[in-house]
Amino acid sequence: MVQIDALSICLNINGWEMMISLGFLAAACEDVAEEVDHLSPLLAFSILLNSVQPVLSGVAVGAGWQSIVAYVNIGCYYLVGIPVEIVLGYVFELQVRGVWVGMLFGVLAQTTVLLVITLKTDWDKQYFFILICAVA
């Protein structure tokens, strides 16, 4: 078990090393570097949302709301994200930027819904319910 864990860590580090060197290889082209510069704000917003959303999903799953999280995921990605991607990326011809913004709208919608659910929850009652279920 320990050997497999160690191998997994080593292979992940090796993958990161390859991503960094191949990223520099691709960025060596002046046109690619300029496009990366234009996409950087979207990357920053993606990192922010992708840091908050998993925490909120984890809270909801930990509270036993797996089915709610699944419906939120499906609704936000298929009813918000993909339509916005199609409209911005292909109708308005924003291409990669439009597709990425659409994806961000889906993640933002998911984050917002999960945040509202988390903030509206009476955690004292939730804790009591979990204790009752654990005892039973």
Side-chain angles (χ1 to χ4, degrees):
M1 193 77 160
V2 171
Q3 291 177 348
I4 292 173
D5 291 343
L7 176 63
S8 175
I9 291 168
C10 290
L11 290 176
N12 275 307
I13 291 170
N14 187 29
W16 292 344
E17 181 272 327
M18 288 300 295
M19 283 186 251
I20 292 169
S21 61
L22 290 175
F24 282 128
L25 172 69
C29 172
E30 293 309 323
D31 295 336
V32 173
E34 186 176 320
E35 189 61 28
V36 169
D37 184 50
H38 293 327
L39 292 174
S40 292
L42 294 176
L43 175 61
F45 199 59
S46 293
I47 291 170
L48 174 66
L49 283 178
N50 290 329
S51 298
V52 175
Q53 181 272 334
V55 173
L56 293 171
S57 289
V59 168
V61 168
W65 307 327
Q66 293 88 343
S67 61
I68 293 173
V69 173
Y71 288 121
V72 169
N73 289 350
I74 291 169
C76 290
Y77 288 115
Y78 289 104
L79 300 178
V80 177
I82 290 176
V84 173
E85 288 177 26
I86 292 169
V87 170
L88 293 179
Y90 300 105
V91 175
F92 289 110
E93 298 180 359
L94 293 176
Q95 299 169 343
V96 170
R97 283 186 201 99
V99 172
W100 199 343
V101 169
M103 179 183 66
L104 287 174
F105 267 91
V107 176
L108 179 62
Q110 181 187 25
T111 302
T112 303
V113 170
L114 292 173
L115 183 62
V116 168
I117 290 171
T118 302
L119 292 175
K120 296 274 185 185
T121 299
D122 184 346
W123 289 103
D124 291 330
K125 287 182 183 177
Q126 183 69 21
Y127 179 72
F128 180 73
F129 178 74
I130 291 171
L131 283 178
I132 296 297
C133 291
V135 172

